[in-house]
Amino acid sequence: PAEAQHPGASGFRLVSEGPEAFVIRNRAAKLAVRSLDVQTYIWHDDLTGLFLAATLVEAADRGVRVRILLDDMDARAKNYSLAALDAHPNIEIRLYNPLASRSGALAGGLEFLGSFSRLNHRMHNKSWIADNRIAVVGGRNVGNEYFGASKEVNFVDLDFAMVGPVVRDVSANFDRYWNSSAVYPIAVLSPEAVTEVNLERLKEKTAPALEKAKTSSYTEILRQDDAVRRLLTGDWSLAWTTDYLFVADDPLKAKHEAGPERSAVLAVIRGALAGAERDTTIISPYFVPGDTAADSLADGAGNGKRIRILTNSLAANDVAAVHGGYSQYRKKLLKGGVELFELKPEHGTAAQSSFFGSSGASLHTKALTVDEDKLFVGSFNLDPRSALLNTEQGVLATDPGLTAQLRAIFEQQVSGTRAWRVTLANGKLRWPAGTSEYDDEPMASGWRRFQAWLAKVFPLESQL
């Protein structure tokens, strides 16, 4: 009915809270009657990962066709569980750019070294599509830390939930990847493990964990979450627009010549940033811009545009080496007038920490706004790996209301309790903190500093 009221337009909702992101996926799977297509880089076999997998199995049991497309870098460790799921008559699992060896750390390590030029390219896309009617795309993988269920560190992340014609674009792209020569059915890679016996064993093995999940502390968080309550009662607002573009890299991106147009997603982002007239906000957990982009951002700020960037601090970054690549561009950006913020490793107040299930936080959102009406949400980090090595995707939309929402999320994340604003005084970096300030990477351990230093010393930037 909502689609019928907005002919030709698509509906978009920004999903910033982990519990709502989990429930949308679970609810969409429970409502599906024809098909469920899931594409992701990581799928953990933890509380939320097991529960969502069980929901897909339930859908398959009632006749829904379930297709799961995983990057093999994470999936290989779960090969035999995935192969067992593939034995279900309504479930098919395929793997992107897989290793030939299906078990053993030594075998995998040797194969990776011997085939590095091929295996270094990974599929970073994330899509959750139900009945070709609703899709969720963005930065989230499947696992506790992506849905605010981890007791240690949770990711600050963002999705676009969508209905309307844009969903058909996402579905068509899923099919493009599903049928790509870079993708292999798990039944071809591990035919001996795709058996009904293994499927029944898997169900028996996971049954106790699934039963325990129903009484976990996370279920209480879901019950209390206001966004979840509104969703389940139908109070689920969408912004409708005909001005949008879903874009994804070619699944065979690795075979293209390196260059500025190797990534279709980067080309769209570059065009959006170039069109900024007044204001740009960028959120990128891994931010390694390179000299050309850093110069362009600094020039834009020097010409009167307000450019603000939020990324992880060294203490919050889950890949310390990436911070080493980013850190060498800070002074250039600050000298040019770019405003630079780094997320703190602690989410803020005690109440906020309780909501997220832990006091730890790491930025995982990949998004940007341009002026007052354009925004991009996707899987793309502003770094060489996203530009040249991994496949990525995202949505560029024009809508003042959505843009205002994303800008509000940005403002919330760069507030004093959640992020440091990096400054430059007498040629040296400073991190003001109330009445005092840090003069070096705040709250970062010596080991993390060493990892970041190695990334600066050795020529690793192209891999970051």
Side-chain angles (χ1 to χ4, degrees):
E3 284 192 51
Q5 294 172 16
H6 301 87
S10 291
F12 297 86
R13 179 179 177 85
L14 287 172
V15 183
S16 60
E17 297 178 1
E20 182 185 2
F22 172 81
V23 172
I24 288 173
R25 288 165 171 81
N26 192 58
R27 186 71 171 164
K30 285 185 175 296
L31 292 173
V33 295
R34 295 187 303 274
S35 65
L36 285 164
D37 293 333
V38 180
Q39 180 179 13
T40 190
Y41 177 60
I42 291 172
W43 193 314
H44 291 319
D45 52 358
D46 53 14
L47 175 76
T48 56
L50 285 174
F51 200 87
L52 288 174
T55 304
L56 295 184
V57 173
E58 289 174 3
D61 287 344
R62 64 176 187 267
V64 177
R65 183 191 66 172
V66 177
R67 297 186 295 174
I68 303 173
L69 176 56
L70 303 172
D71 184 85
D72 196 45
M73 193 54 61
D74 174 73
R76 181 179 177 272
K78 309 170 185 71
N79 184 75
Y80 288 100
S81 294
L82 294 170
L85 287 175
D86 192 74
H88 194 294
N90 289 326
I91 298 177
E92 186 176 359
I93 294 175
R94 296 186 180 182
L95 304 175
Y96 181 88
N97 198 13
L99 280 75
S101 62
R102 301 313 302 160
S103 63
L106 179 60
L110 291 174
E111 184 178 354
F112 196 88
L113 289 174
S115 304
F116 180 79
S117 61
R118 174 177 72 87
L119 295 173
N120 192 34
H121 298 273
R122 308 314 317 169
M123 182 191 74
H124 200 231
N125 312 42
K126 294 101 174 173
S127 299
W128 188 284
I129 314 164
D131 284 348
N132 205 20
R133 299 296 299 279
I134 180 169
V136 184
V137 304
R140 283 185 177 89
N141 294 295
V142 178
N144 286 353
E145 62 267 39
Y146 302 98
F147 300 123
S150 172
K151 295 180 180 180
E152 297 174 357
V153 175
N154 285 290
F155 285 121
V156 178
D157 220 327
L158 189 67
D159 289 321
F160 248 154
M162 309 178 296
V163 299
V166 67
V167 179
R168 269 63 90 188
D169 297 338
V170 182
S171 289
N173 185 66
F174 181 93
D175 288 339
R176 179 171 67 144
Y177 273 74
W178 185 258
N179 296 311
S180 167
S181 60
V183 170
Y184 289 72
I186 198 168
V188 171
L189 298 167
S190 297
E192 76 289 347
V194 183
T195 67
E196 292 185 9
V197 172
N198 284 347
L199 177 58
E200 291 306 313
R201 286 175 179 169
L202 180 65
K203 288 181 178 180
E204 292 174 5
K205 180 181 177 182
T206 57
L210 291 170
E211 196 61 33
K212 185 178 180 181
K214 296 176 183 178
T215 58
S216 70
S217 58
Y218 188 60
T219 62
E220 190 59 32
I221 292 176
L222 298 180
R223 291 189 188 101
Q224 295 178 3
D225 186 79
D226 185 58
V228 170
R229 287 180 179 178
R230 293 198 307 271
L231 184 155
L232 295 178
T233 58
D235 180 12
W236 199 62
S237 61
L238 295 166
W240 294 86
T241 178
T242 58
D243 194 350
Y244 63 83
L245 173 67
F246 172 80
V247 60
D249 290 334
D250 190 322
L252 299 179
K253 175 181 178 178
K255 296 185 177 181
H256 297 180
E257 291 296 325
E261 301 309 318
R262 183 169 184 168
S263 170
V265 181
L266 178 58
V268 167
I269 291 174
R270 184 187 291 113
L273 292 175
E277 296 179 356
R278 294 170 298 280
D279 183 279
T280 299
T281 62
I282 296 172
I283 308 175
S284 184
Y286 307 150
F287 182 67
V288 187
D291 286 320
T292 301
D295 288 340
S296 177
L297 291 168
D299 289 345
N303 290 329
K305 299 177 186 177
R306 188 182 188 190
I307 299 176
R308 296 180 292 169
I309 299 169
L310 171 64
T311 189
N312 275 309
S313 64
L314 176 56
N317 203 318
D318 64 328
V319 183
V322 171
H323 191 86
Y326 145 74
S327 63
Q328 56 194 319
Y329 296 101
R330 283 186 295 205
K331 289 185 178 181
K332 176 184 287 189
L333 292 167
L334 292 170
K335 287 179 181 177
V338 175
E339 298 175 44
L340 199 55
F341 300 86
E342 295 180 0
L343 190 79
K344 295 179 179 180
E346 297 162 349
H347 206 274
T349 68
Q352 292 163 343
S353 298
S354 175
F355 173 81
F356 280 85
S358 72
S359 60
S362 182
L363 187 67
H364 203 255
T365 301
K366 296 96 170 163
L368 59 88
T369 68
V370 173
D371 296 330
E372 294 81 28
D373 60 350
K374 284 186 173 59
L375 73 162
F376 176 89
V377 177
S379 66
F380 194 99
N381 289 295
L382 291 175
D383 63 12
R385 176 158 288 276
S386 283
L388 300 174
L389 299 176
N390 293 344
T391 66
E392 308 286 355
Q393 66 182 38
V395 179
L396 178 69
T398 301
D399 183 88
L402 286 170
T403 304
Q405 289 177 38
L406 182 50
R407 286 166 63 98
I409 291 172
F410 180 93
E411 296 289 354
Q412 182 185 50
Q413 294 302 333
V414 302
S415 68
T417 61
R418 297 190 176 192
W420 290 291
R421 179 171 178 177
V422 188
T423 62
L424 194 63
N426 299 319
K428 294 188 177 182
L429 297 174
R430 294 288 187 269
W431 290 259
T435 57
S436 61
E437 66 178 16
Y438 294 92
D439 59 6
D440 201 357
E441 307 285 358
M443 299 177 66
S445 67
W447 171 239
R448 296 185 70 80
R449 293 169 192 259
F450 176 70
Q451 289 177 282
W453 175 80
L454 282 179
K456 287 193 290 186
V457 171
F458 293 99
L460 300 176
E461 185 170 318
S462 63
Q463 301 300 312
L464 301 176

